[in-house]
């Protein structure tokens, strides 16, 4: 049966942005609403988020974190307590001014993030070193009312988790922020097949109110970087502003130190733009809501095809593989191939009379388009095949990333390399003016200061001698 | 070691409302914020909700439902499309009038429920009988800005799930509403150890915009009824208002039929008030975040106590029991007993030198306060013990419920019985005026019209002949 295209999408190299939104829509990940920037997470898109949530929630709990739920609104007077924080978020907040038909004296801000609510609570429940550390996390949605929005990347509302921890010492809080960054990195490597760049943010790029921000960044197929998660070390900025204090072992009263960290449904955007191709979404097996789709050819007409398809389905299900058998006789196999390719199902099993005559079935790999036939009795290797696909997808993405990291010695090289896409390493002089200049000249921003790289160099903008490096890239 | 009370709570019979809020606070289920009616779900309270969510989510998925996520705000112009619906909710909405510092042309209502958003989406994605049924569910929080609030029972914001389904026929939609009521009922029986009263709501008490509303109601210890969940049959009310239509098999264009259904964190309130006692919370084993707590006596001083406690802990954990070992040497066993009683842990295991000399340990049952010693080699029976506790707690609650259902033949009896607490059955004349009269006279409302009860009687208010019965109660 010919492989009939259902409805082609724009190729990536023609118009990457258009390709992206078409994948979002046609893979049925999301739909628009009549409210700008507010999207609907459709079952398939939400199922991807559920898988990410389950994975991370397990990791968080193993690391001793507890889930809580705090209000979705924050009194304006409370929100205004930490100055840098409020300035960072005020331009994009939704404000409730009417409640139960009455004008509110103290308007309510729909949470853009929940630092201040956590702090108000912590001030009440922390009084002794015995109460520390507090390791809380919240799964919720937050609102950032944005002018320009794109599904999963920048929306007026998005789903995320926000961890907020409190520690007796600065060291512990900072360690926590770095530890959580590693948990996110591990999510990329072992679950999303995405290699991340890790490091510290520059002063200019750090979170409003944080002392230090750390980030994972992923390289999209178009050569732009996507900030995929951040962790923050707050020092005692918030604990002072919100009057959180504890009596330490020696009897003295101290302000504790805090961290926070979060990833969001942006990760779905990363999955699309790292792995996707001109046929649509390509999902790595561990995060895929459906890992294997079985497409029988002549299911209703061939007794053996029906029997074998059903058996394979039951067999894979028993093995804990997320499998779907599509035996709908009103759609052609070719139509189904294209449909499940668009949805990025990692592995397709074709069960047809011709193969079965040789006791064989055909496997089609979504990520590289290859096909191979296996004997029926090799069916128990599918679980291993999925693991292999994960590894191959990670390697592919890692190779792409490695090929797109360059070092620039001067301004001209920096400009030329940034234009090509990917990350460009230069000496880091710590002067914000240089970052602004790079942005102005090349529309690129400092993504991360990688950990553990110490080398002598010069800033390509001001020419100052440098000891550290910073990675620039154009970014989402 | 004496059983020292940490800090006593108000007895239920002295002041039930005060007892309730003290349990909420002292069992660390929740905390207040500086915003009226908005509470914090603390780790222990949230963990109970997580368990309920996991249980129901599995049941929903087994029944073919898919999870989605829709915006937390609704344009006012969209919200106003279904007249009865908007009138039902308008008085308790929060309204966003400012976004990104600008006044909004079309204000945004923070969702009190998401019917209209689901309908807007359904109108876009449904066009053929092939698209039906749609069986969607959403886990989220909603806002009802209330004047009088109580933790878990009536709050400005609460967590819930809302199912919204679309069907080709009225019968199917109605069946769905009733099927989901049975799933909720099953949650009560098998998970929360709460027997529910089931039935249809009267016209007066049904949901704004529904054709029929069904409910589960639970009887609290103080004799008042708590509506613990509802399911609705909408007919084609919403599909007409929102212009949802599909081409049926015969080619004709039709409006589909809808159902919706939801339960919320109110169920935590029900757990507290059905099972709780004067020592605090009492949790049934299946929903309890911690099912067994092991309290060693002289853990740090007695090698054998330490060894056996650790072994029991590992053994129970391996069996999949949610177990905690509290070996904190700075707190006395007596203090711990009271603490875990307050938190309602179903079973306590005391491991002490005296018992161990006989190869025994002591079990203390939270729900009835009884203690018994078992031999160490009987430890593998704990899983069965937990099942037995569930059954016993359900029976106890069922007996209490059964003892509080009475039949009234006339107005005087109705008044007298309502004052005693519990449900009072009377003939149902279907006249709203009679319901209003009962409310005015006895502060009681019609809770449900039980399924499958047909008997001749008279309405105690107007004296009309009746064929059905209705249950009245004072209610939360």
């Amino acid at each position: 049966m010919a492989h009939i295209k259902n409805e082609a999408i724009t190729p990536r190299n023609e118009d990457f942005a258009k390709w992206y939104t078409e994948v979002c829509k046609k893979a049925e990940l999301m739909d628009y609403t009549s409210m700008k920037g507010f999207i609907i997470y459709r079952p398939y898109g939400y199922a991807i988020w559920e898988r990410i949530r389950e994975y991370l929630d397990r990791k968080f709990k193993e690391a001793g974190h507890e889930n809580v739920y705090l209000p979705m609104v924050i009194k304006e007077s409370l929100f205004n307590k930490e100055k840098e924080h409020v300035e960072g978020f005020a331009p994009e907040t939704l404000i409730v001014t009417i409640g139960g038909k009455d004008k509110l004296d103290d308007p309510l801000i729909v949470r853009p993030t929940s630092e201040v609510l956590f702090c108000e609570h912590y001030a009440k429940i922390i009084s002794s070193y015995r109460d520390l550390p507090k390791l809380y996390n919240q799964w919720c949605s937050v609102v950032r009312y944005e002018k320009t929005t794109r599904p999963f990347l920048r929306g007026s509302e998005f789903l995320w988790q926000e961890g907020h921890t409190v520690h007796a010492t600065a060291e512990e809080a900072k360690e926590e922020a770095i530890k959580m960054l590693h948990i996110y990195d591990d999510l990329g490597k072992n679950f999303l097949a995405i290699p991340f760049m890790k490091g510290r943010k520059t002063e200019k790029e750090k979170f409003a109110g944080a002392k230090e921000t750390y980030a994972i960044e992923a390289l999209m197929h178009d050569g732009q970087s996507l900030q995929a998660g951040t962790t923050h070390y707050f020092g005692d900025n918030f604990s002072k502003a919100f009057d959180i204090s504890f009596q330490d072992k020696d009897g003295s009263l101290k302000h504790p130190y805090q961290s926070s960290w979060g990833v969001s449904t942006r990760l779905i955007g990363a999955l699309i733009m790292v792995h996707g191709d001109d046929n649509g979404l390509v999902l790595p097996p561990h995060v895929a809501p459906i890992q294997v789709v079985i497409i029988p050819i002549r299911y209703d007409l061939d007794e053996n095809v029906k029997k074998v398809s059903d058996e394979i389905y039951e067999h894979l299900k028993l093995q804990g593989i997320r499998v779907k058998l599509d035996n709908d006789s009103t759609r052609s196999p070719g139509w189904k191939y294209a449909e499940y390719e668009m949805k990025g199902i990692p592995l397709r099993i074709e069960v047809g009379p011709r193969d079965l005559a040789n006791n064989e079935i055909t496997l089609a790999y979504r990520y590289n388009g290859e096909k191979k036939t296996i004997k029926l009795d090799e069916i128990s290797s599918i679980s291993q095949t999925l693991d292999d696909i994960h590894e191959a997808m990670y390697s592919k993405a890692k190779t792409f990333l490695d090929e797109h990291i360059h070092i620039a010695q001067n301004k001209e090289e920096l400009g030329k390399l940034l234009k090509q896409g990917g990350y460009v390493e230069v000496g880091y002089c710590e002067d914000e003016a240089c970052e602004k200049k790079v942005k102005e000249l090349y529309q690129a921003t400092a993504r991360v200061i990688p950990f553990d790289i110490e080398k002598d160099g010069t800033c390509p903008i001001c020419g100052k001698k440098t000891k550290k490096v910073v990675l620039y890239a154009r970014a989402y």
Side-chain angles (χ1 to χ4, degrees), chain A:
Chain A
M1 180 105 29
H3 185 138
I4 306 149
K5 277 271 150 31
N6 301 27
E7 196 182 343
I9 52 171
T10 306
R12 284 175 299 171
N13 292 339
E14 195 178 301
D15 185 338
F16 193 75
K18 198 164 171 222
W19 167 84
Y20 177 79
T21 47
E22 285 179 7
V23 172
C24 287
K25 282 279 292 178
K26 290 193 180 166
E28 298 190 342
L29 298 175
M30 51 71 64
D31 197 7
Y32 295 104
T33 68
S34 58
M35 296 173 298
K36 211 177 135 314
F38 288 93
I39 64 167
I40 286 166
Y41 293 77
R42 297 190 66 180
Y44 195 54
Y46 193 77
I48 294 173
W49 180 240
E50 279 184 314
R51 301 243 352 113
I52 294 172
R53 194 179 67 192
E54 279 163 25
Y55 180 91
L56 281 179
D57 199 64
R58 199 172 57 245
K59 296 282 172 190
F60 295 164
K61 283 174 179 161
E62 281 168 12
H65 300 94
E66 300 179 292
N67 285 334
V68 294
Y69 185 79
L70 277 63
M72 62 149 76
V73 289
I74 307 168
K75 273 195 311 188
E76 202 168 41
S77 58
L78 183 68
F79 193 72
N80 292 346
K81 270 196 172 180
E82 212 286 344
K83 199 171 151 289
E84 283 178 60
H85 188 68
V86 65
E87 281 171 4
F89 286 102
E92 43 189 59
T93 51
L94 284 184
I95 305 177
V96 175
T97 59
I98 298 169
K101 302 205 163 185
D102 299 323
K103 193 168 173 301
L104 300 176
D105 291 331
D106 196 351
L108 299 169
I109 291 171
V110 183
R111 66 177 161 219
T113 177
S114 306
E115 269 75 12
V116 305
L117 290 172
F118 274 89
C119 286
E120 185 188 49
H121 182 51
Y122 283 140
K124 287 170 69 177
I125 64 169
I126 292 170
S127 61
S128 153
Y129 70 92
R130 293 183 61 126
D131 301 324
L132 299 176
K134 284 277 181 242
L135 308 172
Y136 286 178
N137 175 62
Q138 169 169 261
W139 293 96
C140 65
S141 79
V142 288
V143 162
R144 315 250 171 112
Y145 196 68
E146 305 262 9
K147 289 253 149 56
T148 319
T149 62
R150 296 181 65 186
F152 305 123
L153 299 180
R154 193 171 294 278
S156 294
E157 179 185 10
F158 56 86
L159 299 168
W160 81 344
Q161 58 69 217
E162 46 179 323
H164 296 269
T165 68
V166 192
H167 306 264
T169 68
E171 294 66 38
E172 240 187 75
K174 208 161 162 176
E175 263 168 37
E176 177 80 6
I178 289 173
K179 176 173 125 187
M180 298 319 290
L181 194 76
H182 288 294
I183 285 186
Y184 292 154
D185 191 46
D186 160 88
L187 169 83
K189 189 159 194 296
N190 298 318
F191 202 68
L192 308 176
I194 296 178
F196 289 123
M197 299 298 290
K198 291 191 297 290
R200 186 162 62 82
K201 286 276 171 187
T202 62
E203 286 300 300
K204 183 173 174 298
E205 297 288 329
K206 74 178 191 186
F207 180 78
K211 284 231 159 120
E212 289 191 4
T213 291
Y214 308 99
I216 44 165
E217 299 263 332
L219 186 62
M220 305 296 105
H221 180 79
D222 65 347
Q224 292 199 65
S225 183
L226 180 76
Q227 178 177 300
T230 48
T231 75
H232 314 288
Y233 165 61
F234 283 136
D236 55 7
N237 280 0
F238 280 90
S239 76
K240 279 179 179 161
F242 287 86
D243 209 11
I244 309 170
S245 58
F246 70 101
Q247 193 168 37
D248 209 348
K249 284 176 188 164
D250 62 9
S252 66
L253 205 65
K254 294 179 181 169
H255 289 296
Y257 297 82
Q258 290 173 270
S259 93
S260 90
W261 27 276
V263 292
S264 73
T265 36
R266 239 188 179 205
L267 290 171
I268 299 175
L271 280 169
I272 299 169
M273 292 194 288
V274 167
H275 300 302
D277 65 20
D278 290 352
N279 293 327
L281 189 63
V282 183
L283 288 177
H286 299 320
V287 73
I290 303 167
Q291 299 176 294
V292 176
V293 62
I294 303 166
I295 315 273
I297 293 139
R298 302 171 60 81
Y299 182 87
D300 289 331
L301 304 168
D302 187 315
E303 195 56 44
N304 196 32
V305 166
K306 180 177 188 314
K307 184 173 150 284
V308 172
S309 300
D310 292 350
E311 278 170 10
I312 294 177
Y313 174 76
E314 290 302 331
H315 179 84
L316 295 181
K317 224 173 69 168
L318 269 176
Q319 278 190 54
I321 292 171
R322 296 183 293 282
V323 57
K324 175 176 175 160
L325 167 65
D326 186 345
N327 55 16
D328 178 353
S329 61
T330 70
R331 301 286 195 191
S332 73
W335 186 93
K336 291 177 188 175
Y337 293 175
E339 177 70 9
Y340 295 110
E341 282 177 9
M342 178 61 73
K343 290 200 159 173
I345 316 286
L347 191 67
R348 177 174 81 225
I349 299 180
E350 302 166 13
V351 182
R354 210 173 307 169
D355 282 346
L356 283 188
N358 301 319
N359 263 322
E360 289 177 341
I361 50 174
T362 297
L363 305 185
Y365 294 76
R366 176 65 184 90
Y367 83 99
N368 64 2
E370 284 175 14
K371 282 192 174 198
K372 86 174 193 197
T373 54
I374 62 166
K375 292 288 174 192
L376 271 180
D377 59 13
E378 293 176 272
I379 192 71
S380 51
S381 67
I382 295 293
S383 180
Q384 183 58 49
T385 302
L386 292 172
D387 287 347
D388 294 344
I389 292 174
H390 172 86
E391 291 305 325
M393 287 183 72
Y394 181 79
S395 290
K396 191 180 166 185
K398 184 74 169 65
T399 302
F400 181 81
L401 172 62
D402 290 343
E403 286 168 359
H404 288 83
I405 305 175
H406 297 287
I407 299 176
Q409 302 298 350
N410 54 50
K411 199 164 78 173
E412 289 63 39
E413 268 184 40
L414 174 62
K416 207 178 114 202
L417 289 165
L418 282 171
K419 217 171 174 178
Q420 286 173 19
Y423 300 99
V424 185
E425 180 191 305
V426 293
Y428 178 48
C429 72
E430 304 192 24
D431 189 344
E432 281 198 36
C434 295
E435 280 180 70
K436 281 184 188 153
K437 192 74 190 169
V438 173
K439 177 141 199 198
E440 187 191 310
L441 290 171
Y442 313 119
Q443 300 80 50
T445 44
R447 305 317 303 161
V448 288
I449 302 159
F451 296 121
D452 309 321
I453 299 186
E454 302 272 337
K455 58 180 169 187
D456 292 325
T458 52
C459 169
I461 305 300
C462 68
K464 244 183 269 170
K465 293 288 168 206
T466 58
K467 294 276 182 200
K468 285 179 191 158
V469 300
V470 62
L471 294 172
Y472 277 97
R474 292 182 184 172
Y476 279 89

